[in-house]
Amino acid sequence: MEEIDKEKLPRHIAIIMDGNGRWAKKKNLNRISGHMKGVDAVREVVTACRELGIKVLTLYAFSIENWQRPKEEVDALMGLLKEYLLRECEEMLKNNIRLFAIGRLEDLPTDVRETLEATIQKTEKCDGMILNLALSYGGRSEILHAVCGIISDLKKGILKEEEIDPLLFSNYLWTRGLPDPDLLIRTSGEYRVSNFLLYQIAYTELYLTETLWPDFNREELLKAIADYQSRERRFGLTSEQINGLEV
Ligand code: FPP
């Protein structure tokens, strides 16, 4: 069991859950079975993060590009998402977990969107942890959406050009109000960020593992956190500055 320091936990963990298809293929199963097993991993990781005291967990559940997958797979993923929300709502309330979602939520099938909105609303008073699902999400679209919001507010006179800075910009992103991720985990041995939280991961620590998402579990999560805790985050400063030896 990995030893982790409860005082140095990442506040926000973001995960690119990859490898469901390969997990299924290795077992001679169809891709959808991989996604089903992926949902079990989601449950385990959400529970573990809540127990550890992580404040925000963002899961990349469906990208804008994922709409181009075979219809059967898209339908299955939407079905699994709806089923997850319906089954887990009680658990979220019990564990004081608030649901958030980022992405082009208007793209979701009406029934899924309604279930999502209802769960977001039911859990809005929970403040133990935020579970943030990225759905029909793309980092470039999010940035463009923010740019359009800024242009619109400039035109309305709500905003002045000189007020625009990196912090203000982040308040126009779908993640407004959430801290930037401290740790980004990607499973399945791929070394890409795949259009995920492009603006927000400027200083995020990356953890890449060969483990396929359906095999990712509490122990793997603890390994990722222990690795994160062994790093020195410098945010562009020197080691001495970070350690308070120099001003
Ligand atoms: C990537 O694996 C995974 C996805 C595109 C979907 C992730 C979805 C889930 C884990 C289940 C639903 C989520 C929730 C929150 C209930 P892949 O299919 O790209 O795998 P491959 O690269 O091996 O083909």
Side-chain angles (χ1 to χ4, degrees):
M1 188 68 123
E2 289 293 335
E3 277 300 311
I4 61 162
D5 180 351
K6 288 278 196 142
E7 303 299 312
K8 274 176 55 187
L9 286 173
R11 244 195 330 163
H12 182 174
I13 299 180
I15 309 183
I16 302 177
M17 309 181 287
D18 196 12
N20 295 351
R22 274 161 288 164
W23 181 92
K25 198 167 178 194
K26 266 181 36 187
K27 297 200 151 25
N28 266 326
L29 298 168
N30 62 19
R31 296 180 54 81
I32 293 161
S33 309
H35 295 313
M36 286 164 73
K37 189 72 176 36
V39 177
D40 292 342
V42 167
R43 274 197 206 96
E44 180 162 345
V45 168
V46 170
T47 305
C49 283
R50 176 67 185 106
E51 283 170 8
L52 285 166
I54 302 300
K55 287 294 160 207
V56 186
L57 172 66
T58 297
L59 300 178
Y60 203 178
F62 198 87
S63 72
I64 291 178
E65 290 72 28
N66 287 156
W67 292 114
Q68 287 153 38
R69 290 194 176 195
K71 183 177 178 323
E72 194 197 3
E73 185 172 343
V74 170
D75 290 349
L77 279 166
M78 290 299 130
L80 284 175
L81 173 64
K82 183 174 167 187
E83 193 185 297
Y84 173 82
L85 294 169
L86 292 172
R87 275 179 59 180
E88 295 304 306
C89 188
E90 279 308 307
E91 199 64 16
M92 287 185 214
L93 289 169
K94 199 174 93 197
N95 293 317
N96 201 16
I97 297 174
R98 181 174 182 184
L99 186 74
F100 262 40
I102 53 171
R104 285 192 340 208
L105 307 180
E106 63 277 15
D107 293 348
L108 296 171
T110 313
D111 60 328
V112 177
R113 192 174 168 183
E114 282 171 2
T115 309
L116 180 70
E117 280 167 0
T119 317
I120 290 173
Q121 206 216 325
K122 281 185 200 153
T123 60
E124 75 184 350
K125 297 218 162 57
C126 297
D127 61 2
M129 179 176 95
I130 290 171
L131 169 61
N132 181 31
L133 298 182
L135 297 166
S136 193
Y137 176 86
R140 288 182 174 176
S141 293
E142 180 181 33
I143 290 170
L144 290 181
H145 181 265
V147 170
C148 292
I150 288 178
I151 293 172
S152 160
D153 284 353
L154 283 171
K155 280 190 191 154
K156 284 186 214 151
I158 300 173
L159 183 67
K160 294 195 202 74
E161 196 180 326
E162 55 275 22
E163 289 172 335
I164 303 171
D165 65 8
L167 182 64
L168 178 127
F169 194 89
S170 44
N171 284 327
Y172 281 83
L173 294 169
W174 289 322
T175 50
R176 70 189 153 274
L178 300 181
D180 287 342
D182 301 295
L183 171 63
L184 170 63
I185 299 172
R186 180 171 190 146
T187 58
S188 89
E190 306 287 354
Y191 290 67
R192 293 188 285 275
V193 288
S194 297
N195 205 11
F196 191 41
L197 303 175
L198 296 180
Y199 190 85
Q200 298 88 335
I201 58 170
Y203 286 103
T204 300
E205 296 294 327
L206 308 181
Y207 179 84
L208 306 160
T209 170
E210 295 291 321
T211 304
L212 302 173
W213 177 253
D215 291 327
F216 196 86
N217 55 21
R218 187 189 171 87
E219 188 56 26
E220 296 278 338
L221 176 76
L222 293 177
K223 250 198 263 177
I225 296 175
D227 191 88
Y228 162 85
Q229 293 184 333
S230 72
R231 318 245 184 117
E232 181 186 57
R233 302 187 73 192
R234 292 202 292 270
F235 301 96
L237 303 180
T238 68
S239 190
E240 290 74 17
Q241 285 175 309
I242 290 296
N243 292 308
L245 301 176
E246 236 178 52
V247 273

